[in-house]
Amino acid sequence: METSSGYHVAVVGATGAVGQQMLQTLQERSFPIASLKLLASARSAGKKIMFNGSEYTLEEARPESFEGVQLALFSAGGSISKKLAPEAVKRGAIVVDNTSAYRMDGRTPLVVPEVNEEDLRNHNGIIANPNCSTIQMVVALEPIRKKYGLKKVIVSTYQAVSGAGASAINELKDQSRAILDNKDYTPEVLPVAGDEKHYPIAFNAIPQIDKFQENGYTFEEMKMINETKKIMHMEKLEVSATCVRLPVETGHSESIYIEIDQDNVNVEELKNLLKDSPGIVLEDDPANQVYPMPAHCVGKRDVFVGRIRQDLDRPYGFHLWVVSDNLLKGAAWNSVQIVESLVKLGMLK
Ligand code: A2P
């Protein structure tokens, strides 16, 4: 509902997998909106989208689109953020950017409200929303770091295709149908739309998310490593990651091994700590086969944690299984949470 007392908001990438969830989340949270601009590429200009019972016309995102906008949520890819986020800031908007364009920029806070909300106080117009896999991991690790200290993290991810956008969701569905119907298909999107080779995702697992870097890690893996250190303010934390794409539509899963600073902590203590920590739902009851799964977390805002076990060789080592809706806590909900934090801190005028 547009209200005269609300904020002037723009959503860039409003037609995309994350953009759609941003709109849904703003609506569900009854965020006060005085005016709303829905921006996308020239291809979408003129199309209509419903929001809160009213019809809105999509516009092509241009520098002038941000005149009068107080808050701009970006999720249209890094190059669009690089080009247009400064234009929005120049016109007085605060930008919450869901791409990797500004995440490692020294002047840009990279925020997961459960972990480092206070970092919002030092922004220069742009606030970065971390990578989806990083967000759910740091929500689970921050209470452990605070109470017991954290030395090392080794994570393997099992990531859903929606993290690669609407075209990757379509590719998974079309390929699955083609394979079941014995029809030919040509992979075009995954693992990375702009890379040389494409592989089938249906009935497969692809150990490449984003492009390879010179050190042999993918960009997604390096995002997890670097962003975790920045968000947790732990430059010295040992972090390593292997990121894998699975034929799951939505919901990223992570197998995480951690080493803490103490060797007298048991699994029950960890479970009790996580059960009462912000943003976390503990689902850990092996006797009753209770553990988190992507199919159960779709549409929910929490981070689900289970399968907590002590390492068999190291008393200071623990294994966790962490699952969350990558489009919500991993993207849209974390962005809207950032916005709600800005309002709470009196920083959105
Ligand atoms: P469009 O639908 O007009 O292409 P996803 O991550 O699901 O692939 O979505 C990407 C989002 O980014 C879409 O909303 C898409 O709009 C938008 N987008 C892509 N290219 C541009 C562009 N050049 N300018 C503005 N928005 C863009």
Side-chain angles (χ1 to χ4, degrees), residues 30-215:
S30 304
F31 185 74
I33 291 179
S35 69
L36 179 64
K37 280 194 184 170
L38 300 185
L39 307 172
S41 75
R43 295 179 292 277
S44 299
K47 290 188 190 153
K48 313 277 185 202
I49 284 188
M50 293 300 290
F51 177 80
N52 251 345
S54 304
E55 194 177 69
Y56 289 81
T57 304
L58 283 155
E59 295 170 37
E60 181 185 358
R62 305 160 183 270
E64 315 80 66
S65 311
F66 300 98
E67 294 294 346
V69 168
Q70 289 169 288
L71 173 70
L73 299 173
F74 274 70
S75 194
S79 58
I80 305 298
S81 290
K82 282 203 179 118
K83 196 168 98 188
L84 292 179
E87 298 290 343
V89 173
K90 214 192 289 175
R91 290 168 173 80
I94 292 187
V95 169
V96 178
D97 181 32
N98 191 49
T99 75
S100 61
Y102 298 95
R103 286 180 190 150
M104 295 313 297
D105 176 272
R107 293 155 308 165
T108 304
L110 181 65
V111 176
V112 177
E114 290 89 342
V115 181
N116 62 335
E117 187 181 55
E118 283 297 313
D119 288 355
L120 286 173
R121 294 192 189 277
N122 297 310
H123 75 79
N124 281 311
I126 302 177
I127 294 146
N129 191 76
N131 168 266
C132 43
S133 304
T134 311
I135 295 177
Q136 65 184 68
M137 181 165 86
V138 298
V139 168
L141 297 188
E142 174 65 6
I144 300 173
R145 180 201 70 76
K146 254 191 183 152
K147 183 144 187 200
Y148 305 118
L150 194 60
K151 273 208 299 256
K152 184 185 192 106
V153 179
I154 301 174
V155 55
S156 297
T157 69
Y158 305 68
Q159 296 183 222
V161 293
S162 56
S167 56
I169 301 176
N170 292 337
E171 174 156 86
L172 169 63
K173 290 182 176 169
D174 293 346
Q175 260 174 25
S176 303
R177 256 183 237 114
I179 290 173
L180 292 173
D181 294 344
N182 265 327
K183 291 194 177 136
D184 288 341
Y185 61 90
T186 309
E188 286 171 350
V189 180
L190 293 167
V192 185
D195 216 340
E196 275 173 35
K197 291 186 182 171
H198 296 109
Y199 298 114
I201 185 62
F203 303 95
N204 200 9
I206 305 179
Q208 181 191 354
I209 301 185
D210 219 319
K211 291 198 171 171
F212 280 100
Q213 312 293 288
E214 276 180 7
N215 64 3

Side-chain angles (χ1 to χ4, degrees), residues 141 144-145 148-154 234 237-238 256-263 270 311 313-320:
L141 297 188
I144 300 173
R145 180 201 70 76
Y148 305 118
L150 194 60
K151 273 208 299 256
K152 184 185 192 106
V153 179
I154 301 174
M234 292 187 84
L237 180 67
E238 294 175 26
I256 307 175
Y257 170 73
I258 55 167
E259 293 183 358
I260 61 175
D261 280 340
Q262 299 182 22
D263 57 11
L270 266 194
D311 190 67
D313 298 306
R314 294 170 185 80
Y316 49 83
F318 290 88
H319 301 266
L320 303 87

